[in-house]
PDB file of all heavy atoms in Angstrom:
ATOM      1  N   LEU O   1       0.872  -1.168   0.004  1.00  0.00           N
ATOM      2  CA  LEU O   1      -0.004  -0.014   0.011  1.00  0.00           C
ATOM      3  C   LEU O   1       0.885   1.246  -0.005  1.00  0.00           C
ATOM      4  O   LEU O   1       1.623   1.510   0.986  1.00  0.00           O
ATOM      5  CB  LEU O   1      -0.890  -0.006   1.229  1.00  0.00           C
ATOM      6  CG  LEU O   1      -1.899   1.108   1.327  1.00  0.00           C
ATOM      7  CD1 LEU O   1      -2.876   1.212   0.219  1.00  0.00           C
ATOM      8  CD2 LEU O   1      -2.633   1.076   2.713  1.00  0.00           C
ATOM      9  N   LYS O   2       0.913   1.936  -1.082  1.00  0.00           N
ATOM     10  CA  LYS O   2       1.857   3.047  -1.291  1.00  0.00           C
ATOM     11  C   LYS O   2       1.631   4.139  -0.188  1.00  0.00           C
ATOM     12  O   LYS O   2       2.564   4.838   0.222  1.00  0.00           O
ATOM     13  CB  LYS O   2       1.688   3.639  -2.641  1.00  0.00           C
ATOM     14  CG  LYS O   2       2.798   4.616  -3.027  1.00  0.00           C
ATOM     15  CD  LYS O   2       2.662   5.011  -4.469  1.00  0.00           C
ATOM     16  CE  LYS O   2       3.869   5.944  -4.880  1.00  0.00           C
ATOM     17  NZ  LYS O   2       3.819   6.285  -6.357  1.00  0.00           N
ATOM     18  N   ALA O   3       0.423   4.233   0.294  1.00  0.00           N
ATOM     19  CA  ALA O   3       0.121   5.284   1.282  1.00  0.00           C
ATOM     20  C   ALA O   3       0.538   4.858   2.672  1.00  0.00           C
ATOM     21  O   ALA O   3       0.540   5.705   3.649  1.00  0.00           O
ATOM     22  CB  ALA O   3      -1.381   5.623   1.260  1.00  0.00           C
ATOM     23  N   GLY O   4       0.914   3.663   2.885  1.00  0.00           N
ATOM     24  CA  GLY O   4       1.249   3.172   4.206  1.00  0.00           C
ATOM     25  C   GLY O   4       2.546   3.860   4.728  1.00  0.00           C
ATOM     26  O   GLY O   4       3.475   4.165   3.989  1.00  0.00           O
ATOM     27  N   SER O   5       2.601   4.097   6.065  1.00  0.00           N
ATOM     28  CA  SER O   5       3.720   4.821   6.657  1.00  0.00           C
ATOM     29  C   SER O   5       5.029   3.987   6.590  1.00  0.00           C
ATOM     30  O   SER O   5       6.111   4.605   6.722  1.00  0.00           O
ATOM     31  CB  SER O   5       3.428   5.159   8.138  1.00  0.00           C
ATOM     32  OG  SER O   5       3.259   4.018   8.890  1.00  0.00           O
ATOM     33  N   LEU O   6       4.915   2.668   6.458  1.00  0.00           N
ATOM     34  CA  LEU O   6       6.106   1.846   6.420  1.00  0.00           C
ATOM     35  C   LEU O   6       6.606   1.597   4.990  1.00  0.00           C
ATOM     36  O   LEU O   6       7.615   0.976   4.777  1.00  0.00           O
ATOM     37  CB  LEU O   6       5.797   0.500   7.031  1.00  0.00           C
ATOM     38  CG  LEU O   6       5.375   0.524   8.507  1.00  0.00           C
ATOM     39  CD1 LEU O   6       5.102  -0.911   9.053  1.00  0.00           C
ATOM     40  CD2 LEU O   6       6.498   1.125   9.380  1.00  0.00           C
ATOM     41  N   SER O   7       5.861   2.107   4.007  1.00  0.00           N
ATOM     42  CA  SER O   7       6.225   1.890   2.568  1.00  0.00           C
ATOM     43  C   SER O   7       7.160   3.030   2.097  1.00  0.00           C
ATOM     44  O   SER O   7       7.012   4.147   2.485  1.00  0.00           O
ATOM     45  CB  SER O   7       4.963   1.861   1.752  1.00  0.00           C
ATOM     46  OG  SER O   7       5.241   1.486   0.425  1.00  0.00           O
ATOM     47  N   GLY O   8       8.062   2.676   1.190  1.00  0.00           N
ATOM     48  CA  GLY O   8       8.992   3.658   0.674  1.00  0.00           C
ATOM     49  C   GLY O   8       9.821   3.096  -0.436  1.00  0.00           C
ATOM     50  O   GLY O   8       9.699   1.911  -0.829  1.00  0.00           O
ATOM     51  N   ASN O   9      10.636   3.937  -1.038  1.00  0.00           N
ATOM     52  CA  ASN O   9      11.594   3.565  -2.139  1.00  0.00           C
ATOM     53  C   ASN O   9      10.836   2.976  -3.312  1.00  0.00           C
ATOM     54  O   ASN O   9      11.288   1.992  -3.932  1.00  0.00           O
ATOM     55  CB  ASN O   9      12.601   2.541  -1.621  1.00  0.00           C
ATOM     56  CG  ASN O   9      13.446   3.052  -0.468  1.00  0.00           C
ATOM     57  OD1 ASN O   9      13.736   4.284  -0.396  1.00  0.00           O
ATOM     58  ND2 ASN O   9      13.837   2.216   0.479  1.00  0.00           N
ATOM     59  N   TRP O  10       9.749   3.569  -3.713  1.00  0.00           N
ATOM     60  CA  TRP O  10       8.941   3.041  -4.778  1.00  0.00           C
ATOM     61  C   TRP O  10       9.588   3.054  -6.142  1.00  0.00           C
ATOM     62  O   TRP O  10      10.337   3.985  -6.466  1.00  0.00           O
ATOM     63  CB  TRP O  10       7.581   3.750  -4.839  1.00  0.00           C
ATOM     64  CG  TRP O  10       6.627   3.199  -3.848  1.00  0.00           C
ATOM     65  CD1 TRP O  10       6.525   3.393  -2.520  1.00  0.00           C
ATOM     66  CD2 TRP O  10       5.562   2.212  -4.168  1.00  0.00           C
ATOM     67  NE1 TRP O  10       5.553   2.649  -1.964  1.00  0.00           N
ATOM     68  CE2 TRP O  10       4.925   1.924  -2.959  1.00  0.00           C
ATOM     69  CE3 TRP O  10       5.181   1.610  -5.356  1.00  0.00           C
ATOM     70  CZ2 TRP O  10       3.877   1.068  -2.891  1.00  0.00           C
ATOM     71  CZ3 TRP O  10       4.065   0.781  -5.281  1.00  0.00           C
ATOM     72  CH2 TRP O  10       3.470   0.453  -4.049  1.00  0.00           C
ATOM     73  N   LYS O  11       9.338   1.978  -6.889  1.00  0.00           N
ATOM     74  CA  LYS O  11       9.790   1.884  -8.277  1.00  0.00           C
ATOM     75  C   LYS O  11       8.563   1.791  -9.190  1.00  0.00           C
ATOM     76  O   LYS O  11       7.478   1.424  -8.780  1.00  0.00           O
ATOM     77  CB  LYS O  11      10.718   0.641  -8.441  1.00  0.00           C
ATOM     78  CG  LYS O  11      11.986   0.675  -7.623  1.00  0.00           C
ATOM     79  CD  LYS O  11      12.801  -0.550  -7.864  1.00  0.00           C
ATOM     80  CE  LYS O  11      14.083  -0.487  -7.095  1.00  0.00           C
ATOM     81  NZ  LYS O  11      14.960  -1.714  -7.340  1.00  0.00           N
ATOM     82  N   ASN O  12       8.794   2.066 -10.497  1.00  0.00           N
ATOM     83  CA  ASN O  12       7.710   2.046 -11.452  1.00  0.00           C
ATOM     84  C   ASN O  12       6.982   0.731 -11.572  1.00  0.00           C
ATOM     85  O   ASN O  12       5.795   0.649 -11.760  1.00  0.00           O
ATOM     86  CB  ASN O  12       8.201   2.487 -12.779  1.00  0.00           C
ATOM     87  CG  ASN O  12       8.581   3.951 -12.881  1.00  0.00           C
ATOM     88  OD1 ASN O  12       8.077   4.778 -12.096  1.00  0.00           O
ATOM     89  ND2 ASN O  12       9.489   4.310 -13.810  1.00  0.00           N
ATOM     90  N   GLU O  13       7.773  -0.388 -11.387  1.00  0.00           N
ATOM     91  CA  GLU O  13       7.150  -1.710 -11.575  1.00  0.00           C
ATOM     92  C   GLU O  13       6.455  -2.229 -10.263  1.00  0.00           C
ATOM     93  O   GLU O  13       5.877  -3.294 -10.308  1.00  0.00           O
ATOM     94  CB  GLU O  13       8.245  -2.706 -11.988  1.00  0.00           C
ATOM     95  CG  GLU O  13       9.372  -2.921 -10.999  1.00  0.00           C
ATOM     96  CD  GLU O  13      10.547  -2.001 -11.247  1.00  0.00           C
ATOM     97  OE1 GLU O  13      10.376  -0.925 -11.820  1.00  0.00           O
ATOM     98  OE2 GLU O  13      11.662  -2.364 -10.829  1.00  0.00           O
ATOM     99  N   ASP O  14       6.591  -1.456  -9.176  1.00  0.00           N
ATOM    100  CA  ASP O  14       5.891  -1.858  -7.960  1.00  0.00           C
ATOM    101  C   ASP O  14       4.378  -1.780  -8.130  1.00  0.00           C
ATOM    102  O   ASP O  14       3.870  -1.002  -8.930  1.00  0.00           O
ATOM    103  CB  ASP O  14       6.292  -0.981  -6.763  1.00  0.00           C
ATOM    104  CG  ASP O  14       7.778  -1.169  -6.357  1.00  0.00           C
ATOM    105  OD1 ASP O  14       8.360  -2.195  -6.807  1.00  0.00           O
ATOM    106  OD2 ASP O  14       8.278  -0.331  -5.628  1.00  0.00           O
ATOM    107  N   ILE O  15       3.659  -2.656  -7.361  1.00  0.00           N
ATOM    108  CA  ILE O  15       2.198  -2.678  -7.456  1.00  0.00           C
ATOM    109  C   ILE O  15       1.579  -2.112  -6.190  1.00  0.00           C
ATOM    110  O   ILE O  15       1.790  -2.608  -5.092  1.00  0.00           O
ATOM    111  CB  ILE O  15       1.751  -4.146  -7.622  1.00  0.00           C
ATOM    112  CG1 ILE O  15       2.348  -4.727  -8.923  1.00  0.00           C
ATOM    113  CG2 ILE O  15       0.208  -4.230  -7.647  1.00  0.00           C
ATOM    114  CD1 ILE O  15       2.062  -6.208  -9.182  1.00  0.00           C
ATOM    115  N   ASN O  16       0.869  -1.045  -6.356  1.00  0.00           N
ATOM    116  CA  ASN O  16       0.147  -0.349  -5.273  1.00  0.00           C
ATOM    117  C   ASN O  16      -1.167  -1.168  -4.991  1.00  0.00           C
ATOM    118  O   ASN O  16      -2.029  -1.165  -5.820  1.00  0.00           O
ATOM    119  CB  ASN O  16      -0.147   1.097  -5.613  1.00  0.00           C
ATOM    120  CG  ASN O  16      -0.749   1.850  -4.425  1.00  0.00           C
ATOM    121  OD1 ASN O  16      -0.716   1.418  -3.270  1.00  0.00           O
ATOM    122  ND2 ASN O  16      -1.374   2.982  -4.738  1.00  0.00           N
ATOM    123  N   HIS O  17      -1.227  -1.813  -3.822  1.00  0.00           N
ATOM    124  CA  HIS O  17      -2.361  -2.713  -3.628  1.00  0.00           C
ATOM    125  C   HIS O  17      -2.704  -2.690  -2.113  1.00  0.00           C
ATOM    126  O   HIS O  17      -1.876  -2.788  -1.182  1.00  0.00           O
ATOM    127  CB  HIS O  17      -1.902  -4.184  -4.000  1.00  0.00           C
ATOM    128  CG  HIS O  17      -3.006  -5.132  -3.927  1.00  0.00           C
ATOM    129  ND1 HIS O  17      -3.945  -5.348  -4.914  1.00  0.00           N
ATOM    130  CD2 HIS O  17      -3.365  -6.033  -2.957  1.00  0.00           C
ATOM    131  CE1 HIS O  17      -4.799  -6.252  -4.571  1.00  0.00           C
ATOM    132  NE2 HIS O  17      -4.459  -6.713  -3.390  1.00  0.00           N
ATOM    133  N   ASP O  18      -4.054  -2.567  -1.817  1.00  0.00           N
ATOM    134  CA  ASP O  18      -4.588  -2.587  -0.512  1.00  0.00           C
ATOM    135  C   ASP O  18      -5.119  -3.934  -0.194  1.00  0.00           C
ATOM    136  O   ASP O  18      -6.147  -4.368  -0.713  1.00  0.00           O
ATOM    137  CB  ASP O  18      -5.700  -1.478  -0.431  1.00  0.00           C
ATOM    138  CG  ASP O  18      -6.138  -1.275   0.987  1.00  0.00           C
ATOM    139  OD1 ASP O  18      -5.854  -2.154   1.863  1.00  0.00           O
ATOM    140  OD2 ASP O  18      -6.870  -0.286   1.226  1.00  0.00           O
ATOM    141  N   LEU O  19      -4.473  -4.610   0.715  1.00  0.00           N
ATOM    142  CA  LEU O  19      -4.870  -6.035   1.039  1.00  0.00           C
ATOM    143  C   LEU O  19      -6.193  -6.052   1.802  1.00  0.00           C
ATOM    144  O   LEU O  19      -6.711  -7.156   1.969  1.00  0.00           O
ATOM    145  CB  LEU O  19      -3.756  -6.642   1.880  1.00  0.00           C
ATOM    146  CG  LEU O  19      -2.408  -6.891   1.197  1.00  0.00           C
ATOM    147  CD1 LEU O  19      -1.370  -7.450   2.162  1.00  0.00           C
ATOM    148  CD2 LEU O  19      -2.553  -7.856   0.024  1.00  0.00           C
ATOM    149  N   THR O  20      -6.661  -4.960   2.294  1.00  0.00           N
ATOM    150  CA  THR O  20      -7.947  -4.932   3.059  1.00  0.00           C
ATOM    151  C   THR O  20      -9.168  -4.797   2.137  1.00  0.00           C
ATOM    152  O   THR O  20     -10.256  -4.901   2.684  1.00  0.00           O
ATOM    153  CB  THR O  20      -7.979  -3.805   4.094  1.00  0.00           C
ATOM    154  OG1 THR O  20      -8.035  -2.533   3.403  1.00  0.00           O
ATOM    155  CG2 THR O  20      -6.714  -3.835   4.959  1.00  0.00           C
ATOM    156  N   LYS O  21      -8.966  -4.662   0.862  1.00  0.00           N
ATOM    157  CA  LYS O  21     -10.080  -4.430  -0.053  1.00  0.00           C
ATOM    158  C   LYS O  21     -10.585  -5.718  -0.700  1.00  0.00           C
ATOM    159  O   LYS O  21     -11.548  -5.724  -1.398  1.00  0.00           O
ATOM    160  CB  LYS O  21      -9.686  -3.417  -1.148  1.00  0.00           C
ATOM    161  CG  LYS O  21      -9.305  -2.075  -0.674  1.00  0.00           C
ATOM    162  CD  LYS O  21     -10.345  -1.424   0.230  1.00  0.00           C
ATOM    163  CE  LYS O  21      -9.941  -0.058   0.658  1.00  0.00           C
ATOM    164  NZ  LYS O  21     -10.958   0.556   1.621  1.00  0.00           N
ATOM    165  N   ASN O  22      -9.885  -6.841  -0.455  1.00  0.00           N
ATOM    166  CA  ASN O  22     -10.254  -8.114  -1.038  1.00  0.00           C
ATOM    167  C   ASN O  22     -10.461  -8.057  -2.528  1.00  0.00           C
ATOM    168  O   ASN O  22     -11.433  -8.529  -3.080  1.00  0.00           O
ATOM    169  CB  ASN O  22     -11.506  -8.672  -0.390  1.00  0.00           C
ATOM    170  CG  ASN O  22     -11.287  -9.150   1.013  1.00  0.00           C
ATOM    171  OD1 ASN O  22     -10.158  -9.211   1.492  1.00  0.00           O
ATOM    172  ND2 ASN O  22     -12.354  -9.473   1.734  1.00  0.00           N
ATOM    173  N   ILE O  23      -9.436  -7.498  -3.208  1.00  0.00           N
ATOM    174  CA  ILE O  23      -9.437  -7.498  -4.711  1.00  0.00           C
ATOM    175  C   ILE O  23      -8.182  -8.259  -5.161  1.00  0.00           C
ATOM    176  O   ILE O  23      -7.130  -8.194  -4.500  1.00  0.00           O
ATOM    177  CB  ILE O  23      -9.524  -6.095  -5.293  1.00  0.00           C
ATOM    178  CG1 ILE O  23      -8.377  -5.210  -4.738  1.00  0.00           C
ATOM    179  CG2 ILE O  23     -10.869  -5.445  -4.980  1.00  0.00           C
ATOM    180  CD1 ILE O  23      -8.326  -3.868  -5.337  1.00  0.00           C
ATOM    181  N   PRO O  24      -8.211  -8.940  -6.294  1.00  0.00           N
ATOM    182  CA  PRO O  24      -7.037  -9.684  -6.761  1.00  0.00           C
ATOM    183  C   PRO O  24      -5.858  -8.776  -7.066  1.00  0.00           C
ATOM    184  O   PRO O  24      -6.057  -7.614  -7.545  1.00  0.00           O
ATOM    185  CB  PRO O  24      -7.489 -10.432  -8.007  1.00  0.00           C
ATOM    186  CG  PRO O  24      -9.027 -10.348  -7.923  1.00  0.00           C
ATOM    187  CD  PRO O  24      -9.367  -9.112  -7.169  1.00  0.00           C
ATOM    188  N   ILE O  25      -4.659  -9.221  -6.843  1.00  0.00           N
ATOM    189  CA  ILE O  25      -3.452  -8.563  -7.222  1.00  0.00           C
ATOM    190  C   ILE O  25      -3.456  -8.555  -8.773  1.00  0.00           C
ATOM    191  O   ILE O  25      -3.740  -9.583  -9.409  1.00  0.00           O
ATOM    192  CB  ILE O  25      -2.252  -9.240  -6.668  1.00  0.00           C
ATOM    193  CG1 ILE O  25      -2.213  -9.110  -5.142  1.00  0.00           C
ATOM    194  CG2 ILE O  25      -0.924  -8.649  -7.247  1.00  0.00           C
ATOM    195  CD1 ILE O  25      -1.133  -9.861  -4.427  1.00  0.00           C
ATOM    196  N   SER O  26      -3.080  -7.437  -9.330  1.00  0.00           N
ATOM    197  CA  SER O  26      -3.230  -7.264 -10.847  1.00  0.00           C
ATOM    198  C   SER O  26      -2.126  -7.914 -11.596  1.00  0.00           C
ATOM    199  O   SER O  26      -1.315  -7.322 -12.258  1.00  0.00           O
ATOM    200  CB  SER O  26      -3.275  -5.748 -11.149  1.00  0.00           C
ATOM    201  OG  SER O  26      -2.095  -5.109 -10.641  1.00  0.00           O
ATOM    202  N   LEU O  27      -2.198  -9.257 -11.542  1.00  0.00           N
ATOM    203  CA  LEU O  27      -1.260 -10.161 -12.316  1.00  0.00           C
ATOM    204  C   LEU O  27      -2.054 -11.340 -12.787  1.00  0.00           C
ATOM    205  O   LEU O  27      -3.007 -11.729 -12.141  1.00  0.00           O
ATOM    206  CB  LEU O  27      -0.063 -10.577 -11.431  1.00  0.00           C
ATOM    207  CG  LEU O  27       0.943  -9.504 -11.061  1.00  0.00           C
ATOM    208  CD1 LEU O  27       1.936 -10.083 -10.057  1.00  0.00           C
ATOM    209  CD2 LEU O  27       1.670  -8.990 -12.274  1.00  0.00           C
ATOM    210  N   PRO O  28      -1.617 -11.931 -13.913  1.00  0.00           N
ATOM    211  CA  PRO O  28      -2.364 -13.109 -14.441  1.00  0.00           C
ATOM    212  C   PRO O  28      -2.217 -14.344 -13.583  1.00  0.00           C
ATOM    213  O   PRO O  28      -1.257 -14.474 -12.781  1.00  0.00           O
ATOM    214  CB  PRO O  28      -1.674 -13.317 -15.813  1.00  0.00           C
ATOM    215  CG  PRO O  28      -0.746 -12.170 -16.054  1.00  0.00           C
ATOM    216  CD  PRO O  28      -0.476 -11.523 -14.777  1.00  0.00           C
ATOM    217  N   ASP O  29      -3.118 -15.275 -13.808  1.00  0.00           N
ATOM    218  CA  ASP O  29      -3.056 -16.612 -13.165  1.00  0.00           C
ATOM    219  C   ASP O  29      -1.765 -17.307 -13.554  1.00  0.00           C
ATOM    220  O   ASP O  29      -1.257 -17.152 -14.660  1.00  0.00           O
ATOM    221  CB  ASP O  29      -4.220 -17.466 -13.600  1.00  0.00           C
ATOM    222  CG  ASP O  29      -5.614 -16.884 -13.148  1.00  0.00           C
ATOM    223  OD1 ASP O  29      -5.575 -15.833 -12.525  1.00  0.00           O
ATOM    224  OD2 ASP O  29      -6.625 -17.527 -13.489  1.00  0.00           O
ATOM    225  N   ASN O  30      -1.237 -18.112 -12.653  1.00  0.00           N
ATOM    226  CA  ASN O  30      -0.053 -18.956 -12.918  1.00  0.00           C
ATOM    227  C   ASN O  30       1.100 -18.173 -13.430  1.00  0.00           C
ATOM    228  O   ASN O  30       1.850 -18.627 -14.325  1.00  0.00           O
ATOM    229  CB  ASN O  30      -0.448 -20.053 -13.901  1.00  0.00           C
ATOM    230  CG  ASN O  30      -1.644 -20.830 -13.464  1.00  0.00           C
ATOM    231  OD1 ASN O  30      -1.691 -21.439 -12.351  1.00  0.00           O
ATOM    232  ND2 ASN O  30      -2.655 -20.943 -14.299  1.00  0.00           N
ATOM    233  N   SER O  31       1.321 -16.936 -12.971  1.00  0.00           N
ATOM    234  CA  SER O  31       2.419 -16.120 -13.490  1.00  0.00           C
ATOM    235  C   SER O  31       3.474 -15.847 -12.502  1.00  0.00           C
ATOM    236  O   SER O  31       4.403 -15.095 -12.793  1.00  0.00           O
ATOM    237  CB  SER O  31       1.834 -14.762 -13.914  1.00  0.00           C
ATOM    238  OG  SER O  31       1.229 -14.092 -12.825  1.00  0.00           O
ATOM    239  N   VAL O  32       3.477 -16.458 -11.305  1.00  0.00           N
ATOM    240  CA  VAL O  32       4.415 -16.175 -10.266  1.00  0.00           C
ATOM    241  C   VAL O  32       5.094 -17.424  -9.799  1.00  0.00           C
ATOM    242  O   VAL O  32       4.490 -18.485  -9.625  1.00  0.00           O
ATOM    243  CB  VAL O  32       3.699 -15.470  -9.086  1.00  0.00           C
ATOM    244  CG1 VAL O  32       4.657 -15.285  -7.896  1.00  0.00           C
ATOM    245  CG2 VAL O  32       3.125 -14.140  -9.507  1.00  0.00           C
ATOM    246  N   LYS O  33       6.435 -17.391  -9.634  1.00  0.00           N
ATOM    247  CA  LYS O  33       7.200 -18.546  -9.192  1.00  0.00           C
ATOM    248  C   LYS O  33       7.339 -18.606  -7.688  1.00  0.00           C
ATOM    249  O   LYS O  33       7.286 -19.638  -7.060  1.00  0.00           O
ATOM    250  CB  LYS O  33       8.569 -18.531  -9.839  1.00  0.00           C
ATOM    251  CG  LYS O  33       9.422 -19.712  -9.543  1.00  0.00           C
ATOM    252  CD  LYS O  33       8.815 -21.024 -10.016  1.00  0.00           C
ATOM    253  CE  LYS O  33       9.644 -22.262  -9.619  1.00  0.00           C
ATOM    254  NZ  LYS O  33       9.024 -23.492 -10.086  1.00  0.00           N
ATOM    255  N   ALA O  34       7.466 -17.443  -7.034  1.00  0.00           N
ATOM    256  CA  ALA O  34       7.640 -17.425  -5.567  1.00  0.00           C
ATOM    257  C   ALA O  34       7.062 -16.116  -5.004  1.00  0.00           C
ATOM    258  O   ALA O  34       7.155 -15.089  -5.601  1.00  0.00           O
ATOM    259  CB  ALA O  34       9.108 -17.521  -5.196  1.00  0.00           C
ATOM    260  N   ILE O  35       6.425 -16.298  -3.818  1.00  0.00           N
ATOM    261  CA  ILE O  35       5.848 -15.170  -3.112  1.00  0.00           C
ATOM    262  C   ILE O  35       6.423 -15.152  -1.699  1.00  0.00           C
ATOM    263  O   ILE O  35       6.384 -16.122  -0.964  1.00  0.00           O
ATOM    264  CB  ILE O  35       4.294 -15.246  -3.039  1.00  0.00           C
ATOM    265  CG1 ILE O  35       3.728 -15.277  -4.493  1.00  0.00           C
ATOM    266  CG2 ILE O  35       3.777 -14.086  -2.218  1.00  0.00           C
ATOM    267  CD1 ILE O  35       2.213 -15.532  -4.466  1.00  0.00           C
ATOM    268  N   TYR O  36       6.919 -13.961  -1.303  1.00  0.00           N
ATOM    269  CA  TYR O  36       7.448 -13.802   0.060  1.00  0.00           C
ATOM    270  C   TYR O  36       6.620 -12.755   0.739  1.00  0.00           C
ATOM    271  O   TYR O  36       6.415 -11.651   0.223  1.00  0.00           O
ATOM    272  CB  TYR O  36       8.920 -13.376  -0.077  1.00  0.00           C
ATOM    273  CG  TYR O  36       9.602 -13.115   1.254  1.00  0.00           C
ATOM    274  CD1 TYR O  36       9.884 -14.208   2.129  1.00  0.00           C
ATOM    275  CD2 TYR O  36      10.004 -11.853   1.721  1.00  0.00           C
ATOM    276  CE1 TYR O  36      10.602 -14.020   3.303  1.00  0.00           C
ATOM    277  CE2 TYR O  36      10.661 -11.619   2.895  1.00  0.00           C
ATOM    278  CZ  TYR O  36      10.954 -12.680   3.698  1.00  0.00           C
ATOM    279  OH  TYR O  36      11.620 -12.529   4.890  1.00  0.00           O
ATOM    280  N   ALA O  37       6.067 -13.064   1.907  1.00  0.00           N
ATOM    281  CA  ALA O  37       5.258 -12.139   2.652  1.00  0.00           C
ATOM    282  C   ALA O  37       5.744 -12.169   4.139  1.00  0.00           C
ATOM    283  O   ALA O  37       5.369 -13.080   4.844  1.00  0.00           O
ATOM    284  CB  ALA O  37       3.766 -12.526   2.570  1.00  0.00           C
ATOM    285  N   SER O  38       6.520 -11.200   4.489  1.00  0.00           N
ATOM    286  CA  SER O  38       7.122 -11.158   5.850  1.00  0.00           C
ATOM    287  C   SER O  38       6.425 -10.065   6.645  1.00  0.00           C
ATOM    288  O   SER O  38       6.441  -8.893   6.307  1.00  0.00           O
ATOM    289  CB  SER O  38       8.634 -10.909   5.744  1.00  0.00           C
ATOM    290  OG  SER O  38       9.205 -10.736   7.023  1.00  0.00           O
ATOM    291  N   HIS O  39       5.915 -10.462   7.839  1.00  0.00           N
ATOM    292  CA  HIS O  39       5.269  -9.561   8.759  1.00  0.00           C
ATOM    293  C   HIS O  39       4.250  -8.655   8.106  1.00  0.00           C
ATOM    294  O   HIS O  39       4.329  -7.376   8.131  1.00  0.00           O
ATOM    295  CB  HIS O  39       6.316  -8.744   9.524  1.00  0.00           C
ATOM    296  CG  HIS O  39       7.076  -9.630  10.526  1.00  0.00           C
ATOM    297  ND1 HIS O  39       6.662  -9.750  11.816  1.00  0.00           N
ATOM    298  CD2 HIS O  39       8.155 -10.477  10.364  1.00  0.00           C
ATOM    299  CE1 HIS O  39       7.470 -10.592  12.438  1.00  0.00           C
ATOM    300  NE2 HIS O  39       8.349 -11.034  11.558  1.00  0.00           N
ATOM    301  N   VAL O  40       3.314  -9.327   7.422  1.00  0.00           N
ATOM    302  CA  VAL O  40       2.280  -8.629   6.668  1.00  0.00           C
ATOM    303  C   VAL O  40       0.854  -9.069   7.142  1.00  0.00           C
ATOM    304  O   VAL O  40       0.044  -8.217   7.458  1.00  0.00           O
ATOM    305  CB  VAL O  40       2.360  -9.033   5.118  1.00  0.00           C
ATOM    306  CG1 VAL O  40       1.211  -8.385   4.381  1.00  0.00           C
ATOM    307  CG2 VAL O  40       3.753  -8.587   4.596  1.00  0.00           C
ATOM    308  N   ILE O  41       0.625 -10.384   7.282  1.00  0.00           N
ATOM    309  CA  ILE O  41      -0.749 -10.853   7.506  1.00  0.00           C
ATOM    310  C   ILE O  41      -1.303 -10.497   8.889  1.00  0.00           C
ATOM    311  O   ILE O  41      -2.491 -10.456   9.076  1.00  0.00           O
ATOM    312  CB  ILE O  41      -0.844 -12.391   7.302  1.00  0.00           C
ATOM    313  CG1 ILE O  41       0.118 -13.185   8.186  1.00  0.00           C
ATOM    314  CG2 ILE O  41      -0.568 -12.709   5.822  1.00  0.00           C
ATOM    315  CD1 ILE O  41      -0.060 -14.666   8.118  1.00  0.00           C
ATOM    316  N   GLU O  42      -0.396 -10.170   9.855  1.00  0.00           N
ATOM    317  CA  GLU O  42      -0.896  -9.758  11.121  1.00  0.00           C
ATOM    318  C   GLU O  42      -1.469  -8.334  11.100  1.00  0.00           C
ATOM    319  O   GLU O  42      -2.097  -7.873  12.054  1.00  0.00           O
ATOM    320  CB  GLU O  42       0.233  -9.787  12.195  1.00  0.00           C
ATOM    321  CG  GLU O  42       1.414  -8.773  11.973  1.00  0.00           C
ATOM    322  CD  GLU O  42       2.485  -9.298  11.084  1.00  0.00           C
ATOM    323  OE1 GLU O  42       2.245 -10.307  10.350  1.00  0.00           O
ATOM    324  OE2 GLU O  42       3.584  -8.793  11.114  1.00  0.00           O
ATOM    325  N   HIS O  43      -1.311  -7.668   9.969  1.00  0.00           N
ATOM    326  CA  HIS O  43      -1.834  -6.240   9.798  1.00  0.00           C
ATOM    327  C   HIS O  43      -3.150  -6.234   9.133  1.00  0.00           C
ATOM    328  O   HIS O  43      -3.739  -5.187   8.882  1.00  0.00           O
ATOM    329  CB  HIS O  43      -0.838  -5.427   8.962  1.00  0.00           C
ATOM    330  CG  HIS O  43       0.489  -5.220   9.620  1.00  0.00           C
ATOM    331  ND1 HIS O  43       0.688  -4.203  10.562  1.00  0.00           N
ATOM    332  CD2 HIS O  43       1.680  -5.849   9.497  1.00  0.00           C
ATOM    333  CE1 HIS O  43       1.984  -4.240  10.933  1.00  0.00           C
ATOM    334  NE2 HIS O  43       2.527  -5.283  10.291  1.00  0.00           N
ATOM    335  N   ILE O  44      -3.714  -7.416   8.746  1.00  0.00           N
ATOM    336  CA  ILE O  44      -5.020  -7.453   8.108  1.00  0.00           C
ATOM    337  C   ILE O  44      -5.938  -8.489   8.777  1.00  0.00           C
ATOM    338  O   ILE O  44      -5.483  -9.403   9.492  1.00  0.00           O
ATOM    339  CB  ILE O  44      -4.879  -7.816   6.585  1.00  0.00           C
ATOM    340  CG1 ILE O  44      -4.162  -9.119   6.403  1.00  0.00           C
ATOM    341  CG2 ILE O  44      -4.153  -6.691   5.849  1.00  0.00           C
ATOM    342  CD1 ILE O  44      -3.978  -9.580   4.908  1.00  0.00           C
TER     343      ILE O  44
END
């Protein structure tokens, strides 16, 4: 979430996404090899 106080150093290819809105991340099905989510899910 780009507006989050912990977010920074944004790049053009980054995806601005609010995990509290229950909308899919804007990428196609079967397009990702690995997902890393560190100290994220406790915030939602």
